[in-house]
Amino acid sequence: MKIVNFSHYSPDHDSDKPLHLQLKEELLRQLRALPANGEYRLPSERSLVELFQINRSTVHRAYVDLLNSRLVRRNPDKSLSVVPGARKQLQGAFPMIGVLVPCRFSDYVEMRGQRSFQYIKGIIDRAAERGVSILTLQLPPADSSPETIQQFLDERCAMLTGLIHLGGGSSKAGEELLNSILNYQAIPQIFISGFADRAYIGSVSSDPETGARELAKYACELGMKRFGMICRESYHSNYFKYSAELRAPVIRKVLLEAGLEAVDKWCAVQLSDDVFDPAMLPELKDIPELVWCSSDTLAAGLTNHLRSCGIRVPQDVSVVGFNGFFSENSAEERIATITHPFYQLGEKAVDLLLEYFEHGLNENNSHVLLDTGLFKGTTLRKKP
């Protein structure tokens, strides 16, 4: 019988959270992460006291909580072993995944546009296929006390099979609240299009390199020699990184490797991906044959601005965005773009969370990339 290994874990003696709750949380996380097959027992109370340098009553209290939950049982030799099916018991007969929206849902949709629905549609559709329910979590106020946050974790998060993050907090206090949730290790968590600097939190995002290689190959076939980039200035968060930060460096590298030259003055910034500001453009001189923008909104804004100034798109300059979400009945121009797989990312997030619950995170499933592609819209010059 194997012993559950706690050697990598260290309780936070400076935390406001009581040590017995920290230990219980880690115990639950360990039980959820155990392989489906195999027999396990818990270390002795004395061994954990020596390992963590804590009071024996603290360990005993955490162990009693597990006994009362019938997740472990006491053996004739006084040791504790994990009950067969404990992980299923933690999941319950009706598993449920939480979706953490960073702000009011209507505000989230308004900020992100219709494309945000594609993530959620993918999540809900795949959950239905896997027999899993979805719970949209309403966070407590950003300035909540540690006790209120702990109550939220115990009453809402502890019941979940896993948690999907769609973004960060909308304020400094909101990000502090997010950090408290990221520190909760009793359930698996995953970011869509983002990365948290924690080994126990997974991520699924798109790989800009695959779409960039298609764009580079096509640009070379058209004889294009130079390119520019219009990108958002920054994507700031204290507790995780947006995968969008990686797009511009990756796409620039791929275009350079293909033999295209970067026109430095046409590598400009915008304050947002969602609002195009022509005042932040360089002078409309020496424009390269290709300009990539970090969103379709910026690409559409640049296209309209260039045309209003008498510059033909795509005859004089091709404009390519990033995202590739189009409404079926939209009358808007189909901007050329590197396509971001919104729906598929939502589906994959559900699959990965269930995999984490069954088998835990490992180097093969902790950070998963889905391919992007190239959509040759009307703003990209066509081959003769």
Side-chain angles (χ1 to χ4, degrees):
M1 185 178 291
K2 299 178 181 179
I3 300 177
V4 179
N5 183 12
F6 290 90
S7 60
H8 68 286
Y9 174 71
S10 178
D12 184 359
H13 292 268
D14 297 325
S15 172
D16 294 332
K17 186 185 298 182
L19 287 173
H20 80 277
L21 287 179
Q22 291 187 47
L23 184 57
K24 177 185 175 182
E25 186 177 290
E26 175 62 13
L27 288 166
L28 290 172
R29 192 191 72 80
Q30 289 281 357
L31 295 186
R32 289 175 181 273
L34 290 177
N37 300 317
E39 297 181 347
Y40 293 85
R41 67 180 176 87
L42 300 182
S44 67
E45 292 183 6
R46 178 174 296 179
S47 66
L48 290 189
V49 168
E50 295 175 354
L51 178 63
F52 299 139
Q53 295 299 299
I54 56 179
N55 192 289
R56 185 162 183 169
S57 63
T58 298
V59 181
H60 181 74
R61 188 172 177 182
Y63 275 13
V64 167
D65 282 350
L66 291 186
L67 279 167
N68 292 338
S69 301
R70 298 184 179 180
L71 296 171
V72 299
R73 65 189 176 196
R74 194 172 295 281
N75 302 315
D77 63 356
K78 306 299 183 182
S79 67
L80 296 179
S81 60
V82 179
V83 173
R87 298 178 67 261
K88 275 291 184 185
Q89 183 180 335
L90 284 169
Q91 186 181 39
F94 304 99
M96 181 160 50
I97 288 175
V99 178
L100 193 64
V101 181
C103 53
R104 281 199 324 167
F105 187 78
S106 58
D107 294 338
Y108 173 75
V109 173
E110 185 175 339
M111 286 189 300
R112 305 290 181 89
Q114 290 294 319
R115 63 183 184 271
S116 62
F117 276 123
Q118 299 304 304
Y119 287 139
I120 296 168
K121 283 171 62 178
I123 291 169
I124 293 175
D125 288 353
R126 181 52 58 91
E129 293 171 6
R130 301 290 301 268
V132 177
S133 297
I134 295 296
L135 174 67
T136 302
L137 291 180
Q138 175 64 52
L139 292 176
D143 57 353
S144 296
S145 66
E147 292 76 19
T148 299
I149 295 172
Q150 186 59 49
Q151 183 180 8
F152 169 79
L153 294 173
D154 291 338
E155 293 184 3
R156 291 291 180 265
C157 293
M159 63 188 286
L160 300 174
T161 299
L163 183 61
I164 296 175
H165 292 270
L166 294 179
S170 56
S171 64
K172 182 177 180 180
E175 288 223 328
E176 291 292 342
L177 174 58
L178 172 65
N179 188 47
S180 299
I181 295 170
L182 295 179
N183 288 335
Y184 186 71
Q185 299 184 40
I187 59 172
Q189 303 184 44
I190 190 169
F191 269 93
I192 294 182
S193 296
F195 309 92
D197 188 20
R198 290 165 171 81
Y200 53 86
I201 297 180
S203 71
V204 57
S205 56
S206 65
D207 182 3
E209 183 171 343
T210 51
R213 292 198 179 281
E214 286 190 48
L215 174 60
K217 179 181 178 182
Y218 189 75
C220 290
E221 290 173 353
L222 290 174
M224 295 181 180
K225 303 296 183 183
R226 305 181 308 155
F227 71 93
M229 308 182 82
I230 308 295
C231 307
R232 176 172 170 171
E233 188 172 30
S234 65
Y235 301 84
H236 179 71
S237 173
N238 291 320
Y239 300 110
F240 71 96
K241 177 180 290 187
Y242 289 97
S243 62
E245 289 185 49
L246 306 178
R247 293 171 187 166
V250 169
I251 292 172
R252 178 186 175 91
K253 179 174 179 290
V254 169
L255 293 176
L256 289 172
E257 288 176 346
L260 278 76
E261 176 189 353
V263 180
D264 290 338
K265 72 176 182 179
W266 267 93
C267 294
V269 299
Q270 295 276 302
L271 295 178
S272 168
D273 274 334
D274 300 314
V275 179
F276 174 76
D277 183 2
M280 301 191 71
L281 285 181
E283 287 186 60
L284 299 183
K285 297 178 181 178
D286 194 30
I287 305 176
E289 303 101 306
L290 172 67
V291 178
W292 176 79
C293 301
S294 58
S295 74
D296 293 344
T297 301
L298 294 184
L302 176 63
T303 296
N304 293 334
H305 178 68
L306 292 176
R307 286 173 176 168
S308 70
C309 296
I311 298 170
R312 299 177 302 166
V313 178
Q315 295 90 337
D316 300 326
V317 54
S318 290
V319 177
V320 179
F322 194 102
N323 274 332
F325 172 70
F326 305 102
S327 300
E328 290 296 327
N329 300 318
S330 173
E332 296 179 3
E333 181 176 15
R334 295 295 181 91
I335 300 294
T337 189
I338 294 177
T339 56
H340 180 66
F342 291 97
Y343 185 86
Q344 292 79 7
L345 288 169
E347 290 183 308
K348 192 64 176 180
V350 172
D351 290 338
L352 287 172
L353 271 186
L354 296 177
E355 184 176 336
Y356 297 162
F357 185 85
E358 289 293 330
H359 307 293
L361 277 78
N362 56 58
E363 61 181 12
N364 295 318
N365 67 12
S366 58
H367 300 296
V368 174
L369 295 175
L370 302 186
D371 286 349
T372 54
L374 176 64
F375 174 74
K376 302 182 184 74
T378 58
T379 59
L380 180 61
R381 194 193 316 161
K382 299 296 184 289
K383 294 181 182 179

